[in-house]
Amino acid sequence: MTVKRLTVVLAAVVTLGVAGGAYALQHGPGNGPDQSAGRGPDPVPAAVTAAAVPRPDHVVLVMFENKKYSSINGSSSAPYFNSLAAQGAKFTKSFAITHPSQPNYIALFSGSAQGVTDDSCPRTFTGKENLGHQLIAAGLSFTGYSEAMPSDGYTGCSSGTYRRKHNSWVDFDNVPAASNLRYSKFPTDFTTLPTVSFVTPDMCNDMHDCSVGTGDTWLKAKLDAYAQWAKTHNSLLIVTFDEDSGTSVNQIFTAFVGQHVKVGSYAETINHYTVLRTIEDAYGLTPINNAASATPITDIWQ
């Protein structure tokens, strides 16, 4: 082969490689809104997958309780949930991991239910990896905010309308007490938020003991200001549920709202491990436990 012909061939190979990489970064690994349920995307290198998830300045995740997807989606009792989802990405095939509540909270935070199958308290995990520890070890920050918790750093199982079973971060000995705060400490200056925040309403406002309308009103009053701010400040709000109302389907309502979120309904199948993996990819963290085999959400970003 002549030198001239070799040069042409090499140039073509480089061009194809760059184009392919650019497509993967722009479109993600083929996990789009039209993907059929249960069909996973083709494997892609970890570096490409991570780059396909933007890095928000702040993520706030709020978890509600025990309502199936159809009880929220399109419901006249949940006008704000539906209005919020219309401002971002609504997932029409989002599922919890199991029943009852507690193992779902633990699974979303650590990529595993850690063998927990009930709501018994207390649960203590020694040296188990989790999102809070990962973030802090990477020089980032995590705080969990629990409504009605009687004091910062509280480790008791219950107090009034607070329940530890809905506070997964307190179960892990490598998450400092300083990361376990009352919801009253949630800042009004959103620039002072930690990198990632988890928010747990009390037993009424999370819909466990009260109506869908009660939770809808609470979400609008407490987090709409952050949702609107996030859309212009490189930040993200995730609204989801721990589980459905106890059915074998376990389908839940999940929505992402933020500056880099493309508005629309997305039909790929996701679960708590998917959400955890997406947050980990956003910050370049090594995915843990079942999050390692989950496909991150890459098709909703702009």
Side-chain angles (χ1 to χ4, degrees), residues 6-199:
L6 177 60
T7 302
V8 171
V9 171
L10 288 174
V13 170
V14 170
T15 300
L16 287 171
V18 171
Y23 181 89
L25 288 172
Q26 180 179 355
H27 298 282
N31 195 18
D34 296 328
Q35 182 184 339
S36 58
R39 179 174 175 265
D42 295 332
V44 295
V48 172
T49 300
V53 180
R55 183 184 178 106
D57 291 338
H58 307 280
V59 174
V60 174
L61 183 150
V62 57
M63 186 96 91
F64 289 84
E65 278 277 312
N66 297 19
K67 294 296 180 286
K68 61 185 178 181
Y69 177 78
S70 60
S71 295
I72 305 298
N73 186 54
S75 171
S76 60
S77 298
Y80 180 71
F81 270 86
N82 288 280
S83 171
L84 187 66
Q87 300 171 51
K90 179 176 73 175
F91 293 92
T92 61
K93 294 181 181 177
S94 176
F95 298 88
I97 302 300
T98 186
H99 298 295
S101 293
Q102 184 165 234
N104 287 292
Y105 285 83
I106 295 169
L108 198 158
F109 191 63
S110 71
S112 167
Q114 305 295 343
V116 175
T117 59
D118 57 30
D119 285 335
S120 61
C121 178
R123 294 287 184 165
T124 302
F125 307 113
T126 302
K128 297 288 188 179
E129 192 56 281
N130 59 79
L131 178 60
H133 181 255
Q134 283 186 294
L135 287 162
I136 293 168
L140 303 169
S141 52
F142 168 82
T143 301
Y145 298 93
S146 296
E147 190 177 35
M149 191 170 68
S151 60
D152 295 338
Y154 182 72
T155 59
C157 288
S158 65
S159 176
T161 54
Y162 165 80
R163 297 292 182 273
R164 174 171 162 164
K165 66 181 180 177
H166 298 160
N167 176 347
S168 51
W169 44 95
V170 75
D171 295 337
F172 293 84
D173 72 336
N174 53 11
V175 178
S179 291
N180 181 30
L181 299 183
R182 292 167 290 164
Y183 179 70
S184 60
K185 294 291 185 68
F186 191 85
T188 55
D189 177 0
F190 303 132
T191 64
T192 65
L193 279 164
T195 310
V196 176
S197 306
F198 277 24
V199 172

